[in-house]
Amino acid sequence: MAMRKVAVVGAGMTKFMRRAQETGRELAFQASRMALDSCEMTLDDIDAVALGTAPDAFDGLHMKGEYLSDGAGAWHKPYMRCYVGGGTGVFAAIQGWYHVASGLFDTCLVVCEEKMSSCMPHPQGAFLTIFDHTTERALKPNLIWIFALEMNRYMTMHGIEKKDIALVAVKNKRNALDHPCAQLAANITVEDVLNSEVLAWPVQRLDISPTSDGAVAIVMAAEHVAKRITDKPAWVRGVGWSLDTAYWTSRDLYYPKYVEYAARMAYDMAGITEPRKEIHVVEPYDPFDYKELHHLEGLLLADKGDAPRLTAEGVTARDGNMPVCPSGGMLGVGNPIAAAGLMKISEIFWQLRGEAGKRQVPGQPKTGLAQSWGDLMQVGCVMILGV
Amino acid sequence: MSLVERITTSADAKVWYDNIPIESLYTVGIAGEKFFRAIKDRGVIMGSVCPSCNLTYLPPMMYCERCLAELEEWVEVGTKGTVHTYTVVGVSLEGEPLEQPEILALIKVEGAHGGLVHRLGEVKPEDVEIGMPVEAVFKPKKGREGSILDIEHFKPV
């Protein structure tokens, strides 16, 4: 396959917050403007726009991709919206990557937006109809239910205790104290997590990321353009994505095989044979604290069932050997679904360029990985950046 | 093979009703806040200006969609315009004939490159013409809520 080298050359994000006054398209504009300004580009320099945004029901607008298009800078440009549920944020960047890698465009603005506060009484309402309407919906399942089933399976298979998992929430919310855009940064303890309200055992309130409004944008460019724009391009070294069966009753749940397949695709492309040595900073998808652990294992960055130990020993701390979610993750920064995934790419971009400020991990990382997860809890999307 | 070919009485098929149980709470946004406050408090229509693209947005936007500049300059665009195109609605969404046919028009407002979709009033359907000058009729100030319906309709000038 003859594919061109592609780099991320700019990034911008709005604050993540409970309820923004801005409309969704205004949020998209703010992130797009910041991303362009960050690399001193204008809209005229952009050849195509890739948009990611989750269900229309969140913003309460059907054809949400079209609604957001002008805020995302798509006027008179080739434009496409992608949507793979929670996986959208990283997938949108993959979409931007293949637009440029294919040779079709030299530059692509990738924009992800979510305004979940519009959805009343709670965005959960939109998720009630993702389940099979003939065999499952009569039981009134919701997302927290099925995460509880998955989390319990994960804990039981490996003999993991809740306090081991709670450390992830403690770490990420603390990391988020250094993020200027964070919604739920806090200094909490394991006890706080264990004493928080039980929503559906073993899921408790502080195990979960919030609903949020926000937008993130990045600029991607082909090699010859990237080198002109910046002396610090963050090259896309590998991408991968994979889908498991939509019948969650057919999956084991304790291990995300589809994340492993996505990761292997990305590692192969990047020529990475020893990911635990070669990946220096990681932003796995952490809408729930156990998901960070689950995903580290799926990404082959920890042995099965061993990610809690790495967390307890500080390996995944910001100053550990393999910093995980130095941004504060979705547990701390917030979770405007599609935007949260692209935030992870942005964080890797800033970390690799040494621009993460107080969040900067030590040791001048050369390679980082961002991952998102979603659809019907069975899609994994991975992007590896390197400098 | 359609349902009716297999089952002659549709009640014999297992069917049921359900819904997606959500409502939406919308914000008008940064630009919308200025636009609707001007209508509610002052009975004027504002547009936002992009000096570099030489455009006045109506409805106003906080950014220019052509160059993505943040728009800081706001102007009153007046309350007069012309009928760019129109339709006369004869049936309701439920398919019932309307006793009073409703005239909906795209109105290009002087001093803006955009316009507003709104009702025409104080005119018979047969008297409406494309190109006809019209002006906005506002609700009495007391009844205004910061909604596009604070403009009752546009009427012929």
Side-chain angles (χ1 to χ4, degrees), chain A residues 18 57-58 116-128 143-144 205 208-211, chain B residues 21-23:
Chain A
R18 173 71 189 90
F58 283 171
M116 300 174 74
S117 67
S118 310
C119 199
M120 298 287 282
H122 193 281
Q124 282 289 337
F127 287 125
L128 295 178
L143 280 191
I144 294 177
R205 185 164 300 279
I208 309 187
S209 58
T211 61
Chain B
I22 53 169
E23 293 184 339

mmCIF file of all heavy atoms in Angstrom, chain A residues 18 57-58 116-128 143-144 205 208-211, chain B residues 21-23:
data_model
loop_
_atom_site.group_PDB
_atom_site.id
_atom_site.type_symbol
_atom_site.label_atom_id
_atom_site.label_comp_id
_atom_site.label_asym_id
_atom_site.label_seq_id
_atom_site.Cartn_x
_atom_site.Cartn_y
_atom_site.Cartn_z
ATOM 1 N N ARG A 18 -20.533 21.113 32.164
ATOM 2 C CA ARG A 18 -21.836 20.486 32.346
ATOM 3 C C ARG A 18 -22.845 21.034 31.343
ATOM 4 O O ARG A 18 -23.571 20.288 30.712
ATOM 5 C CB ARG A 18 -22.328 20.744 33.785
ATOM 6 C CG ARG A 18 -23.741 20.292 34.068
ATOM 7 C CD ARG A 18 -23.852 18.786 34.116
ATOM 8 N NE ARG A 18 -25.242 18.350 34.168
ATOM 9 C CZ ARG A 18 -25.981 18.100 33.097
ATOM 10 N NH1 ARG A 18 -25.479 18.241 31.904
ATOM 11 N NH2 ARG A 18 -27.226 17.708 33.212
ATOM 12 N N ALA A 57 -29.528 12.533 18.861
ATOM 13 C CA ALA A 57 -30.441 12.734 19.996
ATOM 14 C C ALA A 57 -29.796 13.563 21.102
ATOM 15 O O ALA A 57 -30.491 14.259 21.845
ATOM 16 C CB ALA A 57 -30.876 11.375 20.556
ATOM 17 N N PHE A 58 -28.462 13.519 21.218
ATOM 18 C CA PHE A 58 -27.815 14.309 22.271
ATOM 19 C C PHE A 58 -28.098 15.790 22.097
ATOM 20 O O PHE A 58 -28.519 16.469 23.017
ATOM 21 C CB PHE A 58 -26.301 14.100 22.254
ATOM 22 C CG PHE A 58 -25.853 12.801 22.866
ATOM 23 C CD1 PHE A 58 -24.542 12.400 22.746
ATOM 24 C CD2 PHE A 58 -26.732 11.996 23.567
ATOM 25 C CE1 PHE A 58 -24.108 11.211 23.314
ATOM 26 C CE2 PHE A 58 -26.316 10.805 24.128
ATOM 27 C CZ PHE A 58 -24.988 10.413 23.991
ATOM 28 N N MET A 116 -24.170 17.327 25.205
ATOM 29 C CA MET A 116 -25.034 16.327 25.838
ATOM 30 C C MET A 116 -26.047 16.942 26.782
ATOM 31 O O MET A 116 -27.029 16.299 27.146
ATOM 32 C CB MET A 116 -24.170 15.318 26.598
ATOM 33 C CG MET A 116 -23.198 14.598 25.679
ATOM 34 S SD MET A 116 -22.051 13.541 26.564
ATOM 35 C CE MET A 116 -23.113 12.178 27.020
ATOM 36 N N SER A 117 -25.799 18.211 27.191
ATOM 37 C CA SER A 117 -26.720 18.824 28.164
ATOM 38 C C SER A 117 -28.091 19.068 27.560
ATOM 39 O O SER A 117 -29.067 19.236 28.277
ATOM 40 C CB SER A 117 -26.138 20.136 28.684
ATOM 41 O OG SER A 117 -26.091 21.097 27.644
ATOM 42 N N SER A 118 -28.176 19.087 26.222
ATOM 43 C CA SER A 118 -29.484 19.296 25.589
ATOM 44 C C SER A 118 -30.418 18.145 25.893
ATOM 45 O O SER A 118 -31.637 18.312 25.881
ATOM 46 C CB SER A 118 -29.327 19.399 24.064
ATOM 47 O OG SER A 118 -28.338 20.319 23.723
ATOM 48 N N CYS A 119 -29.847 16.980 26.127
ATOM 49 C CA CYS A 119 -30.641 15.746 26.191
ATOM 50 C C CYS A 119 -31.210 15.576 27.601
ATOM 51 O O CYS A 119 -30.468 15.383 28.558
ATOM 52 C CB CYS A 119 -29.733 14.577 25.814
ATOM 53 S SG CYS A 119 -30.617 13.120 25.325
ATOM 54 N N MET A 120 -32.529 15.651 27.696
ATOM 55 C CA MET A 120 -33.198 15.659 29.003
ATOM 56 C C MET A 120 -34.134 14.458 29.129
ATOM 57 O O MET A 120 -34.725 14.050 28.145
ATOM 58 C CB MET A 120 -34.010 16.951 29.150
ATOM 59 C CG MET A 120 -33.174 18.216 29.107
ATOM 60 S SD MET A 120 -32.207 18.454 30.600
ATOM 61 C CE MET A 120 -33.468 19.053 31.706
ATOM 62 N N PRO A 121 -34.363 13.926 30.328
ATOM 63 C CA PRO A 121 -33.716 14.357 31.568
ATOM 64 C C PRO A 121 -32.257 13.929 31.638
ATOM 65 O O PRO A 121 -31.497 14.478 32.415
ATOM 66 C CB PRO A 121 -34.541 13.669 32.653
ATOM 67 C CG PRO A 121 -35.148 12.488 31.980
ATOM 68 C CD PRO A 121 -35.362 12.866 30.561
ATOM 69 N N HIS A 122 -31.842 12.955 30.814
ATOM 70 C CA HIS A 122 -30.464 12.494 30.848
ATOM 71 C C HIS A 122 -30.157 11.813 29.522
ATOM 72 O O HIS A 122 -31.032 11.151 28.959
ATOM 73 C CB HIS A 122 -30.263 11.504 32.008
ATOM 74 C CG HIS A 122 -28.821 11.228 32.313
ATOM 75 N ND1 HIS A 122 -28.059 10.369 31.561
ATOM 76 C CD2 HIS A 122 -27.993 11.723 33.262
ATOM 77 C CE1 HIS A 122 -26.827 10.343 32.044
ATOM 78 N NE2 HIS A 122 -26.753 11.150 33.074
ATOM 79 N N PRO A 123 -28.899 11.971 29.017
ATOM 80 C CA PRO A 123 -28.553 11.307 27.752
ATOM 81 C C PRO A 123 -28.774 9.792 27.783
ATOM 82 O O PRO A 123 -28.880 9.154 26.739
ATOM 83 C CB PRO A 123 -27.072 11.646 27.571
ATOM 84 C CG PRO A 123 -26.882 12.910 28.329
ATOM 85 C CD PRO A 123 -27.808 12.833 29.508
ATOM 86 N N GLN A 124 -28.853 9.200 28.978
ATOM 87 C CA GLN A 124 -29.176 7.776 29.062
ATOM 88 C C GLN A 124 -30.444 7.449 28.276
ATOM 89 O O GLN A 124 -30.596 6.345 27.751
ATOM 90 C CB GLN A 124 -29.393 7.361 30.529
ATOM 91 C CG GLN A 124 -28.130 7.175 31.314
ATOM 92 C CD GLN A 124 -27.365 5.946 30.880
ATOM 93 O OE1 GLN A 124 -27.920 5.015 30.314
ATOM 94 N NE2 GLN A 124 -26.070 5.955 31.117
ATOM 95 N N GLY A 125 -31.347 8.408 28.237
ATOM 96 C CA GLY A 125 -32.619 8.176 27.541
ATOM 97 C C GLY A 125 -32.394 7.777 26.094
ATOM 98 O O GLY A 125 -33.112 6.932 25.546
ATOM 99 N N ALA A 126 -31.367 8.381 25.476
ATOM 100 C CA ALA A 126 -31.087 8.075 24.073
ATOM 101 C C ALA A 126 -30.508 6.674 23.930
ATOM 102 O O ALA A 126 -30.643 6.033 22.891
ATOM 103 C CB ALA A 126 -30.121 9.107 23.494
ATOM 104 N N PHE A 127 -29.849 6.203 24.997
ATOM 105 C CA PHE A 127 -29.198 4.892 24.930
ATOM 106 C C PHE A 127 -30.162 3.739 25.191
ATOM 107 O O PHE A 127 -29.822 2.585 24.953
ATOM 108 C CB PHE A 127 -28.055 4.818 25.943
ATOM 109 C CG PHE A 127 -26.850 5.624 25.552
ATOM 110 C CD1 PHE A 127 -26.339 6.582 26.403
ATOM 111 C CD2 PHE A 127 -26.232 5.420 24.331
ATOM 112 C CE1 PHE A 127 -25.227 7.321 26.054
ATOM 113 C CE2 PHE A 127 -25.120 6.151 23.968
ATOM 114 C CZ PHE A 127 -24.615 7.109 24.834
ATOM 115 N N LEU A 128 -31.343 4.053 25.709
ATOM 116 C CA LEU A 128 -32.269 2.969 26.048
ATOM 117 C C LEU A 128 -32.681 2.180 24.819
ATOM 118 O O LEU A 128 -33.099 1.030 24.927
ATOM 119 C CB LEU A 128 -33.508 3.530 26.764
ATOM 120 C CG LEU A 128 -33.222 4.166 28.123
ATOM 121 C CD1 LEU A 128 -34.509 4.736 28.723
ATOM 122 C CD2 LEU A 128 -32.625 3.151 29.097
ATOM 123 N N LEU A 143 -27.072 1.712 30.025
ATOM 124 C CA LEU A 143 -25.627 1.554 29.860
ATOM 125 C C LEU A 143 -24.944 1.139 31.151
ATOM 126 O O LEU A 143 -24.027 0.324 31.142
ATOM 127 C CB LEU A 143 -25.008 2.864 29.368
ATOM 128 C CG LEU A 143 -25.123 3.176 27.885
ATOM 129 C CD1 LEU A 143 -24.226 4.343 27.548
ATOM 130 C CD2 LEU A 143 -24.744 1.970 27.034
ATOM 131 N N ILE A 144 -25.378 1.698 32.265
ATOM 132 C CA ILE A 144 -24.693 1.408 33.520
ATOM 133 C C ILE A 144 -24.842 -0.074 33.872
ATOM 134 O O ILE A 144 -23.900 -0.718 34.323
ATOM 135 C CB ILE A 144 -25.220 2.337 34.639
ATOM 136 C CG1 ILE A 144 -24.816 3.764 34.302
ATOM 137 C CG2 ILE A 144 -24.660 1.917 35.992
ATOM 138 C CD1 ILE A 144 -25.312 4.806 35.259
ATOM 139 N N ARG A 205 -20.967 5.845 41.748
ATOM 140 C CA ARG A 205 -20.987 7.143 41.073
ATOM 141 C C ARG A 205 -19.596 7.638 40.679
ATOM 142 O O ARG A 205 -19.396 8.132 39.577
ATOM 143 C CB ARG A 205 -21.693 8.193 41.930
ATOM 144 C CG ARG A 205 -21.829 9.522 41.214
ATOM 145 C CD ARG A 205 -22.836 10.466 41.831
ATOM 146 N NE ARG A 205 -24.185 9.938 41.875
ATOM 147 C CZ ARG A 205 -25.045 9.941 40.846
ATOM 148 N NH1 ARG A 205 -24.672 10.429 39.687
ATOM 149 N NH2 ARG A 205 -26.244 9.450 40.977
ATOM 150 N N ILE A 208 -17.530 6.686 37.401
ATOM 151 C CA ILE A 208 -18.048 7.082 36.084
ATOM 152 C C ILE A 208 -17.637 8.502 35.711
ATOM 153 O O ILE A 208 -17.588 9.387 36.563
ATOM 154 C CB ILE A 208 -19.602 7.032 36.071
ATOM 155 C CG1 ILE A 208 -20.101 5.691 36.592
ATOM 156 C CG2 ILE A 208 -20.143 7.282 34.692
ATOM 157 C CD1 ILE A 208 -21.585 5.514 36.447
ATOM 158 N N SER A 209 -17.404 8.703 34.400
ATOM 159 C CA SER A 209 -17.169 10.051 33.877
ATOM 160 C C SER A 209 -18.507 10.782 33.765
ATOM 161 O O SER A 209 -19.556 10.150 33.733
ATOM 162 C CB SER A 209 -16.514 9.949 32.495
ATOM 163 O OG SER A 209 -17.339 9.204 31.627
ATOM 164 N N PRO A 210 -18.455 12.121 33.710
ATOM 165 C CA PRO A 210 -19.709 12.892 33.642
ATOM 166 C C PRO A 210 -20.236 12.991 32.217
ATOM 167 O O PRO A 210 -19.568 12.598 31.275
ATOM 168 C CB PRO A 210 -19.264 14.273 34.120
ATOM 169 C CG PRO A 210 -17.859 14.381 33.614
ATOM 170 C CD PRO A 210 -17.268 12.996 33.744
ATOM 171 N N THR A 211 -21.426 13.531 32.056
ATOM 172 C CA THR A 211 -21.879 13.979 30.734
ATOM 173 C C THR A 211 -21.379 15.411 30.566
ATOM 174 O O THR A 211 -21.288 16.158 31.539
ATOM 175 C CB THR A 211 -23.406 13.943 30.595
ATOM 176 O OG1 THR A 211 -23.975 14.816 31.577
ATOM 177 C CG2 THR A 211 -23.942 12.537 30.806
ATOM 178 N N PRO B 21 -37.321 7.892 25.066
ATOM 179 C CA PRO B 21 -37.848 8.806 26.089
ATOM 180 C C PRO B 21 -36.922 9.981 26.400
ATOM 181 O O PRO B 21 -36.334 10.044 27.463
ATOM 182 C CB PRO B 21 -38.002 7.894 27.300
ATOM 183 C CG PRO B 21 -36.888 6.897 27.137
ATOM 184 C CD PRO B 21 -36.693 6.708 25.657
ATOM 185 N N ILE B 22 -36.796 10.901 25.450
ATOM 186 C CA ILE B 22 -35.988 12.077 25.757
ATOM 187 C C ILE B 22 -36.692 13.356 25.314
ATOM 188 O O ILE B 22 -37.506 13.349 24.397
ATOM 189 C CB ILE B 22 -34.598 12.039 25.074
ATOM 190 C CG1 ILE B 22 -34.744 11.793 23.581
ATOM 191 C CG2 ILE B 22 -33.694 11.023 25.710
ATOM 192 C CD1 ILE B 22 -33.455 12.009 22.816
ATOM 193 N N GLU B 23 -36.347 14.413 26.011
ATOM 194 C CA GLU B 23 -36.742 15.749 25.584
ATOM 195 C C GLU B 23 -35.458 16.546 25.416
ATOM 196 O O GLU B 23 -34.405 16.122 25.881
ATOM 197 C CB GLU B 23 -37.622 16.401 26.649
ATOM 198 C CG GLU B 23 -38.952 15.696 26.795
ATOM 199 C CD GLU B 23 -39.863 16.391 27.788
ATOM 200 O OE1 GLU B 23 -39.348 17.154 28.634
ATOM 201 O OE2 GLU B 23 -41.074 16.157 27.701
#
